[in-house]
Each structure stands twice: as C-alpha cells, then as structure tokens.
Amino acid sequence: MTSTVFITGATSGFGEACARRFAQAGWSLVLTGRRASRLQALKDELSAQTDVHTLELDVRDRKAMEAAIAGLPAKYEKIRGLINNAGLALGAEPATQCNLDDWDIMVDTNIKGLMYSTRLLLPHLIAHGRGASIVNLGSVAGNWPYPGSHVYGATKAFVGQFSLNLRNDLVGTGVRVTNIEPGLCESEFSLVRFGGDQAKYDATYAGAEAIQPEDIAETIFWIMNQPAHVNINSLELMPVSQTWAGFAVNRSAK
Ligand code: NDP
Ligand code: 8X3
C-alpha cells in the first residue's frame, strides 16, 4: 500500500523540500498552504512521480481545516505521516516594541493551527496504526531563550510539550510523535520575519553556512522511516557555525 504524507506549509522552505523528498520515495502527498499558485506549481512538478492532492488552506481557519480534512478523497484518507510545518516568526524587536497583532498571528498559526491539524488528522493516523508518525516543527527557540524570541520561542516551547504529551495519549496506537528543533536554517522564514527586508535576510545567513531545507527534509524522512518500534522523541540540530551565547549581564545595576 502506498504511504501518504500530509504536509502543512508546503509552498516554501522545509515543507516544499519535504514534498520533493517524499515524492522521490514514492509517497503520496497532501500539500497545504495559502499560496495557491505555488501549490499548483509543486503539483505540476511532482505529479509525474506520485499522486498529489493540494489544499489551499490557512491553518488558522478551523472551519476550513475541518471541511478540508473531512473532504479528503478516499485514496488519501489513511495518513502515515503528518508534518506539522506551517509556521512563522514576525519581528525580532524587544517585547516592549512589539505589535500585539504579530503576537496573535504567531499564536494562531504556530499553536492553534498545529493543534487543529493534529486533532483532525489523529483518526487518520490511528487508522494507519503501526508505523505512522507525526513530526512537529519546534525550534531551538523553544529550548533556549534569546533576545527578540519572546512569543515565537514560547510557541515553539508549546510545540515541544504538546509533542511529549501526545505520546502518552497515543500509546497503544502505534502512532509516533517527534518534535524536531532546528537552529539557523536558510529559507523564506527570515524574509517573513523581517517583513521582506532582503538586507536583514542576507545578514542573517552571511557566512554562516546555515542548514538548508533539504537537510531538514532528509532528517524528517529518516525519522519517519525508523523501524516501527522506534520513536525519536525530539531531535535538536544546528549548523556547525551556530553555538550558544553566554549569559548577559547588565552593568548599570538596575
Ligand atoms: P518558510 O517561510 O519557508 O515556510 C513556511 C511555510 O508555512 C510556508 O509554506 C507558508 O505557506 C506556511 N504558512 C505560514 N503561515 C501559514 C498559515 N497561516 N496557513 C497555512 N500555511 C502557512 O519557513 P521554513 O520552511 O523555514 O519554516 C517551516 C517551519 O519550521 C516553521 O514552523 C518555522 O517556525 C520552523 N523553523 C524554521 C527555522 C528556520 O530557521 N528557518 C528553524 C526552526 C524551525 P503560505 O505562506 O503559502 O501559507
Ligand atoms: C527558527 C530558529 O533561531 O531563528 O526557529 O529562532 S531561530
């Protein structure tokens, strides 16, 4: 039986690279995102290799998510892999300068969107049973504090704890759960974060030899293809160029 993977946020970055990686291995694809033209281009490209179903969806729209998943064509109903990838950071200013609308968008996308896709697809993953996997896109930002991470990092901490908690509730179903926690990776993520500012994007990655979306896709493919009795609980990865800063000390004694 062909395996099916459901990828949220397949229109760029990690999601798009995962679509290509899983198509290459013959998995059927359910690809979602808000940008219909990119979904269509990916479908046109990958349909030569495998079956592709696209869903133009905003993961924040619960009703649309419910309708789309309820309406999955029969041949895509049994899901072996869910890659909860759709997500974003907006801004990197200190909390005192942030816009509450941006905070709402990060919470609604990174937490609530991921909750919706997970809950709605659980019956489909459980129907597959042994060998099925959920891979959630957490981040080093969920593990380590850094200035300007505030709500973004906190949403990723949610993803980490939600992933661990899910494992308890899925015991006996065969469904595995992994939180993958990447560090600096080169993708449109930083263009989105900095409002399309190409100079800030370039500065983010200059000389860093950042992880590439294909590296993340290969890692996720490896996780989902472990023997069915093995669960990778979490996997944190960084480029070799990235390490931790020391503690900050305020010398003005306030
Ligand atoms: P990209 O910006 O390249 O891709 C993000 C994807 O998410 C796009 O396909 C976008 O599609 C989709 N998306 C965003 N908002 C929504 C929404 N409301 N509804 C549906 N889809 C949405 O970023 P990455 O590939 O780098 O990031 C993917 C995930 O990995 C994110 O969760 C991010 O937080 C996480 N991550 C990224 C790291 C990095 O350094 N790049 C490191 C660690 C984690 P569209 O706009 O078409 O809707
Ligand atoms: C993205 C990685 O370091 O920009 O989650 O927060 S970082």
Side-chain angles (χ1 to χ4, degrees):
M1 192 188 70
T2 308
S3 297
T4 299
V5 62
F6 189 111
I7 306 174
T8 68
T11 53
S12 70
F14 304 167
E16 182 178 355
C18 285
R20 292 208 174 90
R21 181 64 187 89
F22 282 77
Q24 189 193 324
W27 290 47
S28 298
L29 308 174
V30 182
L31 306 178
T32 80
R34 291 167 300 178
R35 287 170 288 183
S37 59
R38 289 201 185 195
L39 285 174
Q40 188 58 49
L42 205 51
K43 183 174 184 172
D44 293 346
E45 175 193 332
L46 298 178
S47 288
Q49 290 175 57
T50 190
D51 291 329
V52 183
H53 182 64
T54 55
L55 295 171
E56 184 189 340
L57 265 185
D58 185 327
V59 292
R60 295 171 293 174
D61 185 341
R62 178 173 153 181
K63 284 202 174 349
M65 293 281 280
E66 286 169 344
I69 291 171
L72 276 176
K75 73 173 174 182
Y76 297 98
E77 265 183 350
K78 202 175 269 188
I79 307 281
R80 176 170 161 202
L82 166 60
I83 305 176
N84 270 323
N85 167 74
L88 77 175
L90 293 173
E93 297 81 17
T96 45
Q97 296 167 26
C98 287
N99 175 337
L100 265 180
D101 291 338
D102 287 347
W103 284 9
D104 271 342
I105 292 170
M106 288 189 275
V107 168
D108 289 346
T109 310
N110 302 355
I111 296 182
K112 294 181 75 176
L114 185 138
M115 266 168 30
Y116 298 156
S117 52
T118 302
R119 180 63 190 92
L120 294 168
L121 287 166
L122 276 179
H124 300 259
L125 291 149
I126 291 170
H128 183 285
R130 188 174 165 80
S133 304
I134 301 171
V135 172
N136 292 328
L137 263 296
S139 167
V140 292
N143 298 341
W144 310 101
Y146 67 83
S149 175
H150 38 76
V151 167
Y152 176 68
T155 66
K156 295 303 186 180
F158 168 91
V159 173
Q161 194 61 28
F162 184 54
S163 304
L164 293 175
N165 290 342
L166 270 177
R167 286 219 58 228
N168 291 317
D169 292 346
L170 291 174
V171 70
T173 65
V175 179
R176 304 172 289 181
V177 186
T178 302
N179 181 35
I180 173 171
E181 301 156 340
L184 185 70
C185 303
E186 187 168 357
S187 73
E188 288 177 23
F189 174 84
S190 294
L191 269 187
V192 172
R193 183 171 210 167
F194 299 124
D197 186 327
Q198 187 67 40
K200 283 188 179 169
Y201 174 95
D202 293 342
T204 301
Y205 300 115
E209 207 180 349
I211 290 175
Q212 297 299 308
E214 293 72 23
D215 301 319
I216 298 296
E218 198 58 45
T219 305
I220 294 174
F221 187 76
W222 175 82
I223 289 168
M224 289 199 172
N225 285 285
Q226 287 302 294
H229 63 285
V230 176
N231 193 100
I232 308 293
N233 294 338
S234 60
L235 197 158
E236 184 181 275
L237 62 162
M238 287 175 166
V240 175
S241 60
Q242 185 178 30
T243 63
W244 302 267
F247 290 117
V249 178
N250 171 27
R251 305 278 172 197
S252 68
K254 266 196 259 175

